[in-house]
Amino acid sequence: MSNQSYRDSQFLDGLSGEELFSMQIGLTYRDFLVLPGFIDFNPSDVELETRLTKKIKLKRPFVSSPMDTVTESSMAVAQALMGGIGIIHYNNTVEEQVAEVSKVKRFENGFISDPVVLGPKNTIHDLDRIKETLGFTGIPITADGTRNSKLVGIVTNRDIDFERDRSIPVEKVMTTEVITGKAGITLKEANDIIKKEKIGKLPIIDKDGKLVSLVSRSDLKKNKEFPDSSKDENKRLRCGAAVSTLPESRDRVAALYEAGVDVIIIDSAQGNSIYQIEMLQFIKSNFKNLEVIGGNVVTRGQAENLIGAGADGLRIGMGPGSICITQDTMAVGRAQATAVYQTAAHAAKYDVPVIADGGISNIGDIANALAIGASACMMGFMFAGTSEAPGEYFYENGIRLKKYRGMASIEAMKAGGDKRYFNEGQKVKVAQGVSGSVVDRGSILNFIPYLSLGLRLSFQDMGFRSVQDLHQGLREGKLRFERRSESAQAQGSVHSLYSYSAPSLRAE
């Protein structure tokens, strides 16, 4: 913190956080700005390390939401590699959710544990579809087209580039003399084979010839080091999972605990309930050292109840998400910035971190959420369009998109999403969310560095070097804010141009 005279109280413009949020009106992230501070450091000097819960630290304040169009194992692995964490959704069976968590906990950097495979009877057209939707070729061919059978060949671009008939079975064009590595090989040994043999993909097989994993030359080139990875005490990637408050979730928690999950999020749209309190108490008394995040809450009273029941962190937000219509449909909720500030101020008395969940659509929203007390930001919209999100890309009007749906949309509720809304089993379903689509944002491995740099630049403008310093400045009234009118908001965005090119959120 600088000692410049700029910090002297007589030069403080604007409002403190307490003054800003004492107004009897709900505020969103766009309703205020942080006033600039004094810069005496570079963006690279900003430290983004933060706390997810009382005990779990992250190098980046990013959490991917437990939604079935956002977080499964691929997203959770990528988030953990980049210093954040992914929360696996529970629109699935216990066994399926446990399998997703296990993939993250067993992940070895550089080894693809669940490669895309085809069978001998698949056609070249199937390969074309994989290349169009997933962006790669070089597909292992197994005896029955699953990852649990014997490797019989591999198909690469050079095998099919000049084939005009795309209906030909891959067994007629695949390479059958495949260079492989044995299970247990190290990443360096695999890399040495790839370099020596000048190949793009190296299948790893067990003693029976069954495919175990795959090593890709392109992955080795881009995944050299992840020094900021979120890892547990056994050097495994961290991973979270969501559960409901239903009785069946007690068995789900037990299974997830055995799989090594690091943190459980009790996923309720309105978390201040006897059901969640009982679930919190059950988990804390039966699974030692398992961190639990309660929510969602938006008031001090709600926060007090869940903290009293043992919550190690709180998830804040009711209705601000881009696919959520709770506030319109139920007339219940709270403006997100006000919710984050009030709950964070209360939770800080107990040293409990809060996660701002919803209403984030750019870097500025993340910065504002952290500035008013959040320790991390949970995002669905921001991560849904990435290559690691579940689902396939499709095109609409020439734009590459992915499906994104609220867990309270009719579509998601039919798949089990209504478990978080206390209306499971109802024949008539009242939607509190919608289904939509979002644009392609590329890979998380490129997107997180983009978000991180933008956040560092924002911290530099504010004059704070870390999340901890920012929160101290908030508590001491040194971090200053100012409300802005609708016309100020309009002027603070693009205006007065005949035409312009909008910056893309897709990081290259």
Side-chain angles (χ1 to χ4, degrees), residues 294-370:
N296 281 31
V297 297
V298 294
T299 71
R300 292 171 181 257
Q302 289 179 302
E304 175 69 24
N305 285 344
L306 298 193
I307 293 171
D312 301 299
L314 293 175
R315 185 177 169 198
I316 313 303
M318 190 173 180
S322 61
I323 40 68
C324 189
I325 56 174
T326 295
Q327 293 182 12
D328 284 343
T329 306
M330 302 290 112
V332 178
R334 197 173 198 181
Q336 183 65 352
T338 299
V340 170
Y341 176 82
Q342 298 294 357
T343 52
H346 187 75
K349 300 174 184 177
Y350 300 92
D351 195 35
V352 172
V354 306
I355 303 166
D357 174 25
I360 291 172
S361 60
N362 60 31
I363 293 168
D365 293 336
I366 300 172
N368 271 351
L370 297 175

Side-chain angles (χ1 to χ4, degrees), residues 278-294:
E278 289 175 349
M279 180 61 76
L280 266 168
Q281 293 171 338
F282 167 78
I283 297 174
K284 296 306 294 182
S285 61
N286 287 278
F287 303 97
K288 305 301 180 186
N289 300 319
L290 179 57
E291 296 287 275
V292 186
I293 296 171

Side-chain angles (χ1 to χ4, degrees), residues 110-112 185 187 190-191 194 200-204 213-217 219-220:
F111 289 89
I112 304 169
I185 192 174
L187 189 60
N191 195 17
I194 287 174
K201 302 284 176 66
L202 179 69
I204 307 299
S213 60
L214 187 71
V215 179
S216 169
R217 184 185 190 93
D219 285 345
L220 287 170

Side-chain angles (χ1 to χ4, degrees), residues 195-333:
K195 287 181 179 178
K196 180 182 177 181
E197 302 294 340
K198 296 181 172 63
I199 55 177
K201 302 284 176 66
L202 179 69
I204 307 299
I205 59 174
D206 64 14
K207 58 183 177 60
D208 298 319
K210 293 182 177 180
L211 184 66
V212 174
S213 60
L214 187 71
V215 179
S216 169
R217 184 185 190 93
S218 60
D219 285 345
L220 287 170
K221 289 162 70 176
K222 67 183 179 183
N223 298 347
K224 292 180 180 178
E225 292 288 339
F226 294 96
D228 296 324
S229 296
S230 302
K231 293 183 178 180
D232 62 22
E233 59 276 5
N234 296 315
K235 305 301 181 183
R236 300 176 301 177
L237 294 183
R238 287 202 182 276
C239 177
V243 302
S244 73
T245 57
L246 296 179
E248 67 92 16
S249 283
R250 299 193 175 199
D251 293 334
R252 189 179 284 262
V253 171
L256 292 167
Y257 180 76
E258 288 300 315
V261 75
D262 295 283
V263 58
I264 291 290
I265 282 187
I266 303 178
D267 191 25
S268 298
Q270 209 282 57
N272 187 30
S273 72
I274 186 62
Y275 315 110
Q276 179 151 162
I277 289 172
E278 289 175 349
M279 180 61 76
L280 266 168
Q281 293 171 338
F282 167 78
I283 297 174
K284 296 306 294 182
S285 61
N286 287 278
F287 303 97
K288 305 301 180 186
N289 300 319
L290 179 57
E291 296 287 275
V292 186
I293 296 171
N296 281 31
V297 297
V298 294
T299 71
R300 292 171 181 257
Q302 289 179 302
E304 175 69 24
N305 285 344
L306 298 193
I307 293 171
D312 301 299
L314 293 175
R315 185 177 169 198
I316 313 303
M318 190 173 180
S322 61
I323 40 68
C324 189
I325 56 174
T326 295
Q327 293 182 12
D328 284 343
T329 306
M330 302 290 112
V332 178

Side-chain angles (χ1 to χ4, degrees), residues 472-500:
Q472 183 178 345
L474 174 66
R475 290 190 299 270
E476 295 176 353
K478 294 179 180 178
L479 184 66
R480 309 299 288 182
F481 303 88
E482 187 168 84
R483 282 289 308 277
R484 57 175 180 163
S485 65
E486 290 184 9
S487 57
Q489 292 179 45
Q491 196 171 68
S493 186
V494 178
H495 64 92
S496 306
L497 300 180
Y498 171 72
S499 63
Y500 71 98

Side-chain angles (χ1 to χ4, degrees), residues 45-106:
D45 296 324
V46 174
E47 177 55 65
L48 296 178
E49 183 173 289
T50 189
R51 291 191 305 160
L52 178 74
T53 67
K54 288 180 178 179
K55 295 181 181 179
I56 296 178
K57 291 183 178 181
L58 302 175
K59 289 291 187 180
R60 301 286 181 273
F62 306 133
V63 185
S64 63
S65 181
M67 304 170 73
D68 60 7
T69 52
V70 178
T71 309
E72 290 181 349
S73 56
S74 294
M75 175 65 73
V77 165
Q79 288 286 347
L81 287 175
M82 300 309 297
I85 193 170
I87 312 297
I88 306 292
H89 73 85
Y90 63 105
N91 250 19
N92 46 27
T93 66
V94 174
E95 293 74 20
E96 288 169 342
Q97 190 180 26
V98 165
E100 292 298 308
V101 169
S102 296
K103 288 177 186 177
V104 182
K105 301 306 290 187
R106 293 198 309 263

Side-chain angles (χ1 to χ4, degrees), residues 89-163:
H89 73 85
Y90 63 105
N91 250 19
N92 46 27
T93 66
V94 174
E95 293 74 20
E96 288 169 342
Q97 190 180 26
V98 165
E100 292 298 308
V101 169
S102 296
K103 288 177 186 177
V104 182
K105 301 306 290 187
R106 293 198 309 263
F107 178 83
E108 294 181 68
N109 182 29
F111 289 89
I112 304 169
S113 59
D114 57 347
V116 174
V117 301
L118 293 174
K121 301 302 181 184
N122 284 103
T123 65
I124 297 177
H125 176 72
D126 294 324
L127 289 165
D128 293 337
R129 180 178 55 82
I130 290 172
K131 184 175 182 179
E132 180 180 350
T133 57
L134 299 179
F136 60 80
T137 55
I139 307 298
I141 309 300
T142 62
D144 64 2
T146 73
R147 291 189 290 269
N148 297 316
S149 63
K150 189 173 182 179
L151 181 74
V152 296
I154 192 168
V155 180
T156 63
N157 274 332
R158 63 186 178 187
D159 297 317
I160 61 173
D161 273 350
F162 301 106
E163 288 291 345

